Amino acid sequence: MSQKPISSALISVYYKERLAPIVSKLNQLGITIYSTGGTQKFIEDLGHPVLAVEELTGYPSILGGRVKTLHPKVFGGILGRRDQSEDIDQLASYSIPPIDLVIVDLYPFEETVASGADDQEIVEKIDIGGISLIRAAAKNFKDVLTISSRDQYQSLLELLETGQGHSTLEERKYYAACAFDISSHYDTQIFNYFNQDSGTPRLKISEQHHQKLRYGENPHQEGYFFGNLKDMFDQLHGKELSYNNLVDVEAAVALMSEFTDKPTFAILKHTNACGVASAENLTLAYEKAFEADTISAFGGVLVANREISADTASAMKDLFFEVLIAPSFSEDALEILKQKKNRILLVQKLSIEEHTQVKSLLNGFILQERDLKTDAIDDFRQVCSRQAGKQELESLVFAGKIAKHTKSNTIVLAKGQQLLASGVGQTSRVDALEQAIDKAKRFGFDLTGAVMASDAFFPFPDCVEVAGKAGIVAVVQPGGSIRDQASIDYCNNNNISMSFTGVRHFKH
C-alpha cells in the first residue's frame, strides 16, 4: 500500500531546537520512540517515554560516542523490506523491531570549519552514524520516512497531523530525495576540506541555497542562482535581481576590488566598464565616470567604494540605472534614490572570496584560478628611451586595472585617473584601439597626453603607430611578441614611453 502507518521512530539529532512539538505529536499518536545520548535526555526531560538504543542493541555507546547506532538491530529495523517475507522472518528471528520513521540532524561539519576550529575538532564533527541512518532510511523509502534536517521539522509536523500518523509513498520518496541531497552535500564539504592540502584535481560543487530568477539571459531561458546572496549583499530597495543583473554585479564588484586608496566610481554595461574615475571625493568620481560615456550609462550597473552621500545621490538621481552597489548609503541618499521604485540598491558586505572560476563547456567543465594579479608600478619594465613620469605611471596602473576586467581584445585609454574610452571585445587589437579613439573623440576628449593599456601584447607595431598619431604618450602592455622591437623602435622614434609587465590579462 502507498500509505503506511508510523509505529516507531528513531530520533538522533545534534540541534534540539524545534524538536519538542515533533516528540509531543509522536507521543500523542502512540508512536514508539528510540533514541540515544543527548537526544534521549532531551526527550526524557520533556516527560515523554523513550527507549534507549542501548536497550535495543544490548551495547552501550562506545569510543566517546563515536559508535552508538551502528548495529544490525538498528539498521535491520530500518532496511528490512516489509513486503519481503524473508526479511520479515529474519527481523522476527533476531527480535529486530521495524523502524518506520528516522529523524536525524547531522553534526555541524560546515559550521565547525567556518568557525576556524582546529583539525581535531573538525574531524570529530564528521557524522558517521547519522549519515548512515539517513542513507539507510532513504534507500528503504518504500517503507520508511526520512527526516534529515531540522528545516524539515515543521513540514513533518504538518504531515503527522494531516496523515494522523501515516505517510504516503510520494511523501516518503520526496523526503528520501532530500536525504540524499543532504548526505551528498555533507560528503562534498568533507572532501573539499580534506582536499585543501592534497589538491586532487576533482570538481565537487554542492550549493543548497538557491533562488529562481525571473528568467535567464533572455526571457525564453529559465534561470537560477545557487548561493546565498544575503551573505554578500543587503538589498535596501528595488526589484528582484535578474540573471543579467547578477552577471553585471559580479563584474562590477570584481572591478571595484582593484580600487581601495581613493574614492572611485564605475559604470558598467554588459560586464564592461563604460566609465571609471578616481577623485578626491565620490561625487566628482561619479561625474568623471559618467562623462566618459553618457549614453551607455543608461541602464547600467553602478558601483562605488565609498558611502553614497546625498550629494552623490543628487548627482545621479536623474540617470536611469539598474543597480547601485556601495559599502553604505546615507539616510538622505536613500531618500533621494528610492524615488525610483525599481532601482536596486545593494550594500556590499563581503568581497568575492572564491579563488576559482568554473564554467560548463562542451560535455564537461573548465576550471581556472581567478586572475588575482594586479600590475603595479614595480612590475613595469620601461623599455623605451623616453621614461614615463610618476603621474603617467599611476595613470597606466589605473588603465591596466580596467583592461584586466574588460572583454578581450581590449584597449583602454585614460588620462589621470579617468577612463576616456575603451575598445571592447574586438577580433583584432588595432580594431579595439580605433574603436576607443573614435569613442573618446565623440565624447569630446582630447587624447593629447593620454595613456594606453592593452590586455595582451602587440603582434605588430600598428597599435603604437595609431596611438602615437592620436596623442598617446605612454603605453603599458605585457610584451612577449616576436615583433616587440618594431613597437619599441616606433616609440623611441616618436617620444612615446612603453612599459612591459610580462603578464597577459585575457578575459573571454
Side-chain angles (χ1 to χ4, degrees):
M1 290 176 60
S2 167
Q3 196 168 63
K4 287 184 175 289
I6 300 171
S7 301
S8 59
L10 172 62
I11 308 177
S12 178
V13 301
Y14 186 86
Y15 291 111
K16 314 300 187 295
E17 295 85 356
R18 293 178 277 170
L19 183 62
I22 301 291
V23 174
S24 298
K25 190 64 181 178
L26 293 174
N27 182 62
Q28 179 188 333
L29 292 168
I31 295 170
T32 301
I33 300 175
Y34 297 95
S35 192
T36 186
T39 307
Q40 177 189 337
K41 183 178 184 305
F42 175 81
I43 296 171
E44 290 171 341
D45 290 345
L46 290 174
H48 296 303
V50 57
L51 296 176
V53 167
E54 289 84 352
E55 292 181 25
L56 174 63
T57 63
Y59 279 87
S61 173
I62 62 173
L63 305 180
R66 281 189 165 197
V67 180
K68 291 179 283 193
T69 57
L70 295 168
H71 193 279
K73 282 207 169 183
V74 174
F75 282 84
I78 296 170
L79 287 165
R81 290 162 292 188
R82 286 25 167 206
D83 60 353
Q84 300 284 324
S85 58
E86 186 178 347
D87 284 12
I88 296 300
D89 290 344
Q90 285 188 341
L91 292 177
S93 66
Y94 292 109
S95 301
I96 300 175
I99 295 173
D100 307 311
L101 169 63
V102 172
I103 302 175
V104 172
D105 185 54
L106 299 171
Y107 289 171
F109 178 81
E110 280 187 89
E111 293 93 325
T112 306
V113 172
S115 73
D118 60 31
D119 191 63
Q120 181 177 351
E121 186 177 350
I122 289 170
V123 169
E124 287 304 315
K125 288 298 186 292
I126 298 175
D127 205 316
I128 302 300
I131 203 84
S132 302
L133 291 170
I134 285 174
R135 290 176 62 83
K139 177 177 181 177
N140 200 23
F141 70 89
K142 288 185 178 180
D143 298 304
V144 182
L145 177 63
T146 315
I147 298 300
S148 49
S149 166
R150 54 183 165 159
D151 293 334
Q152 299 166 3
Y153 288 174
Q154 182 58 40
S155 60
L156 171 61
L157 189 61
E158 293 169 4
L159 182 154
L160 292 171
E161 289 173 347
T162 57
Q164 285 300 297
H166 291 70
S167 66
T168 66
L169 178 61
E170 291 76 18
E171 289 166 339
R172 294 192 297 276
K173 192 169 185 179
Y174 167 77
Y175 283 105
C178 293
F180 285 120
D181 173 39
I182 286 172
S183 67
S184 64
H185 177 79
Y186 198 77
D187 285 340
T188 295
Q189 303 312 308
I190 294 170
F191 169 78
N192 287 337
Y193 172 75
F194 280 93
N195 199 44
Q196 292 177 113
D197 297 326
S198 62
T200 304
R202 299 288 186 274
L203 177 59
K204 294 186 185 296
I205 300 173
S206 179
E207 181 54 66
Q208 294 178 308
H209 292 286
H210 71 279
Q211 65 186 69
K212 193 176 190 311
L213 304 175
R214 295 197 302 274
Y215 50 81
E217 202 161 8
N218 299 292
H220 63 276
Q221 295 169 267
E222 193 171 53
Y224 287 85
F225 175 78
F226 287 89
N228 192 348
L229 282 173
K230 292 181 180 179
D231 287 345
M232 193 163 186
F233 301 105
D234 285 331
Q235 182 167 344
L236 305 182
H237 185 68
K239 61 186 179 182
E240 185 179 289
L241 284 158
S242 70
Y243 181 100
N244 291 331
N245 288 156
L246 289 169
V247 173
D248 284 333
V249 165
E250 201 269 350
V253 168
L255 172 63
M256 192 51 65
S257 69
E258 304 282 357
F259 299 94
T260 56
D261 294 342
K262 298 177 181 178
T264 303
F265 205 100
I267 304 171
L268 288 84
K269 198 75 171 285
H270 298 295
T271 75
N272 296 302
C274 56
V276 185
S278 298
E280 55 265 30
N281 63 71
L282 194 64
T283 302
L284 182 57
Y286 163 75
E287 290 170 346
K288 286 182 171 293
F290 178 67
E291 186 180 40
D293 188 341
T294 57
I295 296 174
S296 297
F298 181 87
V301 169
L302 283 55
V303 62
N305 66 354
R306 298 290 192 274
E307 179 174 88
I308 303 296
S309 66
D311 285 344
T312 308
S314 295
M316 68 178 72
K317 67 181 177 65
D318 293 327
L319 174 67
F320 168 72
F321 59 84
E322 289 278 334
V323 185
L324 172 58
I325 311 157
S328 59
F329 294 77
S330 73
E331 288 300 321
D332 289 342
L334 286 175
E335 187 176 340
I336 294 167
L337 294 170
K338 285 183 177 181
Q339 292 175 14
K340 297 290 177 67
K341 67 176 183 178
N342 287 329
R343 277 179 178 158
I344 300 171
L345 306 178
L346 300 177
V347 172
Q348 183 182 345
K349 299 184 289 186
L350 298 174
S351 58
I352 298 173
E353 297 177 347
E354 182 57 60
H355 286 181
T356 57
Q357 293 174 307
V358 181
K359 181 179 181 179
S360 62
L361 188 145
L362 300 174
N363 62 340
F365 301 86
I366 51 174
L367 180 149
Q368 69 168 352
E369 296 177 342
R370 281 186 178 274
D371 184 356
L372 300 176
K373 171 63 178 173
T374 299
D375 300 321
I377 291 175
D378 290 343
D379 299 313
F380 290 7
R381 178 168 65 90
Q382 299 208 47
V383 295
C384 294
S385 53
R386 181 187 183 278
Q387 299 285 290
K390 182 175 182 295
Q391 287 188 335
E392 288 176 347
L393 290 171
E394 289 174 349
S395 190
L396 287 168
V397 169
F398 174 85
K401 290 176 178 179
I402 300 170
K404 172 185 167 182
H405 292 272
T406 303
K407 192 171 181 66
S408 300
N409 288 307
T410 186
I411 293 290
V412 171
L413 305 180
K415 187 180 287 188
Q417 300 291 293
Q418 181 185 23
L419 170 65
L420 302 184
S422 55
V424 177
Q426 297 302 300
T427 52
S428 80
R429 198 152 300 282
V430 72
D431 281 350
L433 173 57
E434 289 174 343
Q435 181 190 58
I437 291 171
D438 177 68
K439 184 176 180 180
K441 289 180 177 178
R442 280 192 289 114
F443 284 97
F445 290 110
D446 180 4
L447 293 177
T448 303
V451 306
M452 174 173 80
S454 175
D455 60 333
F457 66 60
F458 300 134
F460 303 100
D462 50 1
C463 281
V464 290
E465 292 172 8
V466 173
K469 291 173 184 176
I472 304 299
V473 296
V475 177
V476 64
Q477 56 134 324
S481 168
I482 59 173
R483 298 183 183 84
D484 276 346
Q485 192 58 49
S487 294
I488 293 170
D489 289 344
Y490 181 86
C491 290
N492 282 335
N493 293 332
N494 291 274
N495 201 32
I496 300 171
S497 75
M498 184 160 61
S499 297
F500 289 173
T501 63
V503 179
R504 188 182 72 186
H505 292 288
F506 270 167
K507 185 172 184 285
H508 292 100

